[in-house]
Amino acid sequence: MLDLDDPPQKCGAFTNNQIWVTPYNQSEQWAGGLFVYQSQGEGTLATWSERDRPIENKDNVLWYTLGFHHIPCQEDAPLMPTVSSSFDLRPVNFFQSNPILRIPANLVKDLPVCEPADSV
């Protein structure tokens, strides 16, 4: 909603895209930078991605921005409605086969034996 050159948008430039992918770097932990309110837009996700580093066969970080806007109306007062949203990351065909299938089958002799305690 802001112009790309507006100071708040420079600090929050991670909202320009929903998904960003960068190679892992221990010093890159916060999409808005370490000190968001004192920043001029340097040290943010947007500047890290401008480095155009390769991501193939690397440890990568997926940055996902979930955002929505609420335009308040008079009926919202005095309590603002809440809206929640989420997403899931689920691997598909991550393994070539099911790794659990390589475990040898249980035999009856391998199972625990449960017996009642002697009553006194």
Side-chain angles (χ1 to χ4, degrees), residues 4-54:
L4 297 179
D5 292 329
D6 285 341
Q9 188 59 36
K10 286 183 180 179
C11 299
F14 60 90
T15 62
N16 293 340
N17 298 307
Q18 271 191 305
I19 295 178
W20 303 72
V21 178
T22 59
Y24 175 76
N25 183 330
Q26 186 176 3
S27 66
E28 299 172 354
Q29 294 186 11
W30 296 280
L34 184 58
F35 301 106
V36 179
Y37 296 112
Q38 299 170 2
S39 169
Q40 298 299 316
E42 69 282 345
T44 64
L45 180 55
T47 58
W48 303 332
S49 61
E50 286 175 0
R51 296 178 190 158
D52 201 26
R53 299 170 288 177

Side-chain angles (χ1 to χ4, degrees), residues 30-97:
W30 296 280
L34 184 58
F35 301 106
V36 179
Y37 296 112
Q38 299 170 2
S39 169
Q40 298 299 316
E42 69 282 345
T44 64
L45 180 55
T47 58
W48 303 332
S49 61
E50 286 175 0
R51 296 178 190 158
D52 201 26
R53 299 170 288 177
I55 59 173
E56 189 173 340
N57 297 322
K58 304 278 184 188
D59 290 334
N60 293 316
V61 178
L62 175 87
W63 303 83
Y64 183 75
T65 302
L66 179 65
F68 47 86
H69 297 285
H70 171 75
I71 300 172
C73 60
Q74 208 166 7
E75 292 82 14
D76 292 342
L79 301 173
M80 294 292 288
T82 59
V83 177
S84 62
S85 189
S86 66
F87 75 102
D88 290 328
L89 293 176
R90 296 181 185 190
V92 175
N93 298 327
F94 187 74
F95 296 108
Q96 292 182 2
S97 63

